[in-house]
C-alpha cells in the first residue's frame, strides 16, 4: 500500500537507470514496514511473553493436530488424489497448506534424533525449551508412504500390469514408465494409461496411497517401524528411501516395502478387470 500510494517514493533524475530508481522507490516503505513489524514483535514479547512465531504456533495448534493426525492426513491424501484424478498436480496445489505443518513436525523429529540418536516412537528431548516427543507424520513419512513411486503409488500399478495385464498398450506404457517410477516420477503412467478421469483404475488410485499411509502409521505406532527422521530426497527409490529416512534402519526399508506390496494387491483386481476392455486405437 505504501509503495502504491507513491507518496514515499524518492524522485530521481531521468538519467538514473530504471532498476536503480526502482530500488529507491521501495526504500522508505521497506524501512517503515520493518519498523512496524519490529514494534509489534517487541510488544508481543513484552506483554505476552511470546514471539510472533510462537503466537502463530499456538493459534494454529488445533489445525496442526488435525493435519498431523491420521484422520486429517488421510483427508489431505484424498484431496490430493482427487486433484490428480482431474489432471491437477495435487501435492503441488496442497503444499501451501501441508508444508508448514509437515516441516515443523520434521524439524522437531530431526532435533530429537540429533539429541538422542534413537528412532523409537515415544523418545523425547527438549526442543527450543519445550519437551517434545516424536511425531509419526512428517515430511519424510509422506515421502515414504504416500508418494513412493509417485502419487497414487503407481509403481504397484506398473507391476500389476506387467504380471496380469493382457493389454499390449498398457504393457508398452508400463515399460516406458518403469525408469521414472523407480525415482518416484509417475507422470508417464498417469497421463499415459491414463489415470486421469479413469473410472476403473481411479478406484485403486485413491485406495493405494490411503492403504499405504495406514500401514505405515500403524507399523510405526506399534513400534515395528522406526520413526522417519531424515528427509531423504523424494526421488530416492522405494526401500532405499525407507532405510535412509529411518536413520539407516533396515526395518524402515522393510516396512516401506510391505506398504508397497499392499498396493500391488490393490491394483491387481482392477488391472484384471481392464483386460476385457478393448485397447484404444
Amino acid at each position: 500500500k505504501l509503495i502504491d500510494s507513491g507518496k514515499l517514493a524518492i524522485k530521481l533524475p531521468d538519467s538514473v537507470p530504471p532498476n536503480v530508481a526502482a530500488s529507491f522507490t521501495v526504500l522508505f516503505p521497506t524501512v517503515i514496514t520493518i519498523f512496524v513489524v519490529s514494534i509489534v514483535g517487541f510488544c508481543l514479547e513484552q506483554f505476552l511473553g511470546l514471539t510472533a512465531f510462537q503466537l502463530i504456533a499456538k493459534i494454529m495448534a488445533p489445525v496442526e493436530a488435525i493435519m498431523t493426525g491420521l484422520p486429517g492426513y488421510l483427508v489431505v491424501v484424498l484431496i490430493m488424489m482427487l486433484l490428480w484424478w482431474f489432471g491437477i498436480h495435487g501435492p503441488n496445489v496442497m503444499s501451501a497448506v501441508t508444508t508448514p505443518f509437515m516441516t515443523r513436525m520434521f524439524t522437531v523429529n530431526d532435533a530429537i534424533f540429533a539429541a538422542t540418536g534413537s528412532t523409537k516412537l515415544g523418545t523425547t528431548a527438549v526442543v527450543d525449551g519445550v519437551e517434545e516427543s516424536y511425531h509419526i507424520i512428517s515430511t519424510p513419512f509422506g515421502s515414504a508412504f504416500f508418494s513412493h513411486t509417485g502419487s497414487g503409488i503407481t509403481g504397484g500399478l506398473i507391476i500389476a500390469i506387467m504380471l496380469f495385464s493382457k493389454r499390449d498398450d498398457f504393457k508398452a506404457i508400463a515399460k516406458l514408465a518403469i525408469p521414472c517410477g523407480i525415482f518416484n516420477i509417475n507422470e508417464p503412467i498417469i497421463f499415459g494409461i491414463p489415470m486421469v478421469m479413469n473410472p476403473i483404475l481411479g478406484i485403486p488410485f485413491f485406495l493405494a496411497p490411503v492403504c499405504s499411509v495406514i500401514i505405515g502409521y500403524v507399523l510405526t505406532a506399534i513400534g515395528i517401524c522406526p520413526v522417519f527422521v531424515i528427509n531423504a530426497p523424494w526421488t530416492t527409490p522405494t526401500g532405499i528411501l525407507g532405510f535412509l529416512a529411518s536413520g539407516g534402519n533396515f526395518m524402515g526399508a522393510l516396512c516401506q516395502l510391505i506398504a508397497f506390496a499392499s498396493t500391488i494387491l490393490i491394483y491387481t483386481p482392477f488391472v484384471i478387470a481392464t483386460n476385457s476392455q478393448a485397447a484404444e486405437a
Side-chain angles (χ1 to χ4, degrees):
K1 290 293 184 180
L2 291 173
I3 292 172
D4 291 341
S5 70
K7 296 179 180 179
L8 297 175
I10 300 175
K11 304 297 182 182
L12 298 175
D14 294 338
S15 58
V16 177
N19 59 329
V20 176
S23 64
F24 279 93
T25 300
V26 301
L27 179 61
F28 283 121
T30 300
V31 171
I32 292 173
T33 301
I34 294 174
F35 186 66
V36 170
V37 171
S38 299
I39 291 176
V40 171
F42 177 79
C43 292
L44 287 174
E45 292 192 46
Q46 291 298 311
F47 296 109
L48 298 179
L50 298 170
T51 66
F53 301 104
Q54 291 171 333
L55 179 61
I56 293 171
K58 283 186 174 293
I59 294 172
M60 297 302 292
V63 180
E64 181 182 88
I66 294 172
M67 291 287 292
T68 57
L70 181 59
Y73 188 69
L74 289 178
V75 171
V76 172
V77 167
L78 288 172
I79 293 173
M80 289 191 286
M81 297 315 303
L82 180 63
L83 290 169
W84 260 128
W85 193 72
F86 283 106
I88 302 169
H89 198 300
N92 279 1
V93 172
M94 292 294 291
S95 64
V97 178
T98 60
T99 299
F101 302 107
M102 296 298 108
T103 301
R104 199 188 91 78
M105 297 300 98
F106 162 66
T107 302
V108 170
N109 287 356
D110 185 58
I112 296 173
F113 180 64
T116 66
S118 172
T119 56
K120 185 179 180 180
L121 186 66
T123 302
T124 63
V126 176
V127 181
D128 294 331
V130 179
E131 186 78 11
E132 295 271 12
S133 60
Y134 274 135
H135 302 274
I136 296 177
I137 297 177
S138 64
T139 303
F141 177 90
S143 299
F145 292 108
F146 164 65
S147 59
H148 53 118
T149 73
S151 298
I153 317 182
T154 49
L157 172 61
I158 292 174
I159 293 176
I161 288 174
M162 299 306 295
L163 293 176
F164 302 104
S165 180
K166 297 179 181 179
R167 294 183 54 163
D168 292 335
D169 57 336
F170 276 18
K171 288 187 175 182
I173 293 169
K175 288 177 182 177
L176 291 173
I178 289 173
C180 297
I182 291 173
F183 298 100
N184 306 327
I185 299 169
N186 66 343
E187 277 77 2
I189 201 81
I190 284 181
F191 298 107
I193 290 296
M195 304 300 290
V196 176
M197 305 294 281
N198 192 318
I200 297 178
L201 292 179
I203 297 172
F205 190 54
F206 282 79
L207 293 178
V210 169
C211 180
S212 177
V213 166
I214 291 175
I215 289 174
Y217 189 93
V218 171
L219 290 177
T220 306
I222 63 179
I224 295 176
C225 181
V227 178
F228 284 3
V229 294
I230 305 296
N231 196 18
W234 65 270
T235 51
T236 306
T238 300
I240 299 176
L241 192 154
F243 175 76
L244 295 177
S246 60
N249 192 321
F250 282 102
M251 287 304 298
L254 179 60
C255 290
Q256 190 186 21
L257 291 173
I258 290 172
F260 178 64
S262 72
T263 67
I264 301 173
L265 297 177
I266 291 172
Y267 274 111
T268 295
F270 294 92
V271 169
I272 294 174
T274 62
N275 287 335
S276 60
Q277 294 178 327
E280 295 182 3

